[in-house]
Amino acid sequence: QIQLVESGARSVRKGETLTLSCAATGWSTDWYCMGWYRQAPGKEREAVAMIQEDGRNSLYGDFVAGRFIISIDAAKSTIHLQMRRLEPQDTATYYCVARERSVCWSHWLRGVGKEFDVWGQGAQVSVTS
């Protein structure tokens, strides 16, 4: 059974950089897609970024606009999300997600994450102006 543990979330000020991490355990395969979704109060959940296990395919939500970088340490089954130039509108609960035996498909970025069957507990990021 796959388990995801997020870390790194905290309150920051506008313009600062924050890195979230997500460590996965319990894989039954070395082929998987991992990523991040977020949900702000009163808003629909949206895709932030996702990455293939070999790091070759990384995808981003349109709102990222080059500010975030997702990376993977496959040996540790850990992904990182470096978020730069943070804005108050980035305030949300960020969820790590995973799906085994799958490619990360770009059309998944348009949805709310139903394709992912494993979710972390969520990590609160607050950005103050």
Side-chain angles (χ1 to χ4, degrees):
Q1 183 177 358
I2 302 168
Q3 291 190 325
L4 305 175
V5 178
E6 299 122 337
S7 61
R10 59 184 177 89
S11 295
V12 297
R13 291 192 172 185
K14 177 181 177 179
E16 290 186 341
T17 297
L18 180 67
T19 299
L20 301 180
S21 298
C22 175
T25 58
W27 297 113
S28 62
T29 178
D30 59 0
W31 177 35
Y32 54 84
C33 174
M34 289 183 71
W36 296 91
Y37 280 74
R38 73 181 189 181
Q39 188 164 23
K43 294 189 176 181
E44 191 173 63
R45 191 164 59 207
E46 60 183 349
V48 179
M50 51 190 74
I51 189 167
Q52 202 67 49
E53 81 290 335
D54 62 6
R56 293 183 180 182
N57 181 27
S58 56
L59 305 168
Y60 297 91
D62 289 342
F63 70 88
V64 170
R67 298 183 299 132
F68 299 175
I69 300 173
I70 190 170
S71 60
I72 186 167
D73 182 341
K76 298 180 180 179
S77 293
T78 299
I79 61 171
H80 307 284
L81 182 68
Q82 184 188 60
M83 303 186 290
R84 303 171 296 178
R85 303 193 303 274
L86 283 163
E87 297 286 342
Q89 54 263 39
D90 293 314
T91 295
T93 300
Y94 285 71
Y95 297 91
C96 181
V97 297
R99 176 170 171 165
E100 288 190 299
R101 300 181 179 83
S102 180
V103 173
C104 296
W105 294 104
S106 59
H107 66 271
W108 290 355
L109 294 172
R110 299 193 293 269
V112 295
K114 295 180 180 179
E115 296 84 3
F116 292 91
D117 50 5
V118 184
W119 289 71
Q121 75 278 12
Q124 181 64 42
V125 173
S126 297
V127 184
T128 58
S129 57

